[in-house]
Amino acid sequence: QSVWGYDSDNGPERWHENYPMAKGDKQSPIEINSKDVRHDSSLAPWHASYDPGAAKTILNNGRTCRVVFDDSFDRSVLRGGPLTGAYRLRQLHLHWGSSDDHGSEHVIDGVKYAAELHMVHWNPKHGNFAGALKQPDGVAVVGIFLKVGKTPKPEMKRILEEIDNIKTKGKEAPFQHFDPSILFPKSRDYWTYHGSFTTPPCEECITWILLREPIEVSPDQMAKLRSLSKNGENEAMNPLVDNWRPPQPVKGRVVRASFK
Ligand SMILES: NS(=O)(=O)c1ccc(C(=O)NCc2c(F)c(F)c(F)c(F)c2F)cc1
Ligand SMILES: [Zn+2]
């Protein structure tokens, strides 16, 4: 059977055939409408304390570009916000479009951003990542929106410079001495809600923390991202673009905002 992907024969509309959770009541991403958001003054600020030495490698798995971190102990952790306890940073990856007017997974008041960066953390009280996926409080993902502009964040350069070494599926390169907190925007304002992986197996284990302020990337940084291939080095180049899941039913969930 065809492995899941984003094409017509294996895309989001068919994931439920092999991954029944895809039709669950707490799926991600969602459309966020400010009029339905509830400001929650009890929401604490969130804090990341990342060790740059925890960064290990960057890889192209044919579906995204992912940076992997050492999560064998509380080395790079996320605390506060809606979370209880320290969640360990495991990996970060991106979702993006074939053009600048779309590509993000979450949609904010009808706005689709060019890309969305996910920093994936898991709750060590559940033993390991696979165990955490089975728990409602198992995983926390910080989502950062990327918009195309003229004052790109120099820190994005580091990830995009590595793209040349991981052009094709399966390519991996060392990626060390990298502190992902440099990617955070100035404002710490966020939305939070309970949802799922936006890819199979679509487990409903994620506390989403979506940052309100997007960061900027340049047009040629986006072009670089779009120059990745879905295929291996001995196969035809197939641009890795539009690796985003469309918004899913909110089903009565409340999205809270840390800001008014
Ligand atoms: N886009 S997102 O919602 O932020 C998202 C975050 C993490 C993963 C992930 O870790 N997948 C690999 C993966 C699995 F899908 C497993 F089911 C599992 F058991 C793993 F250990 C594992 F690494 C997928 C999507
Ligand atoms: Zn993601």
Side-chain angles (χ1 to χ4, degrees):
Q1 93 235 25
S2 63
V3 176
W4 68 268
Y6 295 92
D7 301 315
S8 54
D9 60 340
N10 66 3
E13 303 318 313
R14 298 193 59 180
W15 291 350
H16 68 91
E17 293 168 18
N18 291 313
Y19 303 96
M21 289 300 296
K23 280 193 181 293
D25 295 346
K26 297 188 182 72
Q27 289 294 292
S28 294
I30 58 171
E31 164 108 46
I32 292 181
N33 296 307
S34 299
K35 64 177 175 19
D36 302 330
V37 165
R38 285 203 28 235
H39 166 62
D40 181 342
S41 51
S42 74
L43 275 173
W46 54 274
H47 298 284
S49 41
Y50 295 151
D51 171 357
K56 293 195 301 190
T57 59
I58 187 167
L59 78 126
N60 170 351
N61 65 8
R63 292 191 285 253
T64 187
C65 158
R66 178 188 285 177
V67 175
V68 177
F69 299 85
D70 166 24
D71 61 353
S72 62
F73 64 100
D74 281 4
R75 186 171 186 183
S76 291
V77 296
L78 178 73
R79 286 193 179 81
L83 307 174
T84 301
Y87 284 60
R88 286 184 195 164
L89 175 65
R90 176 181 177 85
Q91 53 110 320
L92 71 79
H93 63 270
L94 295 107
H95 305 263
W96 60 91
S98 45
S99 59
D100 296 350
D101 60 348
H102 69 282
S104 65
E105 300 206 295
H106 291 87
V107 177
I108 309 295
D109 292 328
V111 175
K112 293 182 180 177
Y113 288 96
E116 186 172 330
L117 188 148
H118 290 157
M119 294 184 183
V120 183
H121 311 72
W122 59 279
N123 191 337
K125 85 179 190 187
H126 298 307
N128 57 36
F129 186 67
L133 302 191
K134 302 293 174 204
Q135 308 297 329
D137 67 346
V139 178
V141 178
V142 174
I144 305 176
F145 296 111
L146 275 60
K147 71 182 220 186
V148 178
K150 285 175 282 302
T151 53
K153 225 171 173 31
E155 296 79 5
M156 265 311 285
K157 232 159 58 78
R158 180 76 202 283
I159 294 179
L160 293 157
E161 270 159 3
E162 286 300 332
I163 298 272
D164 290 327
N165 305 326
I166 58 163
K167 281 287 187 196
T168 52
K169 177 179 178 180
K171 284 261 181 190
E172 189 164 16
F175 194 78
Q176 293 159 331
H177 317 299
F178 176 67
D179 172 0
S181 52
I182 55 177
L183 298 172
F184 293 144
K186 278 189 309 303
S187 169
R188 292 295 161 109
D189 288 350
Y190 64 91
W191 294 282
T192 185
Y193 77 98
H194 192 267
S196 74
F197 278 149
T198 65
T199 64
C202 301
E203 297 281 3
E204 297 178 342
C205 59
I206 299 188
T207 299
W208 281 95
I209 298 173
L210 296 169
L211 304 191
R212 176 196 197 184
E213 182 184 340
I215 61 172
E216 287 207 359
V217 289
S218 66
D220 58 354
Q221 285 180 320
M222 280 312 301
K224 205 130 183 80
L225 211 45
R226 299 186 186 113
S227 72
L228 288 169
S229 179
K230 282 182 186 170
N231 291 342
E233 59 187 338
N234 306 318
E235 300 166 87
M237 167 23 170
N238 182 358
L240 174 47
V241 293
D242 290 326
N243 56 352
W244 50 277
R245 188 189 194 187
Q248 300 301 304
V250 173
K251 298 221 171 163
R253 286 175 284 175
V254 173
V255 177
R256 292 180 292 158
S258 70
F259 59 94
K260 272 217 172 45

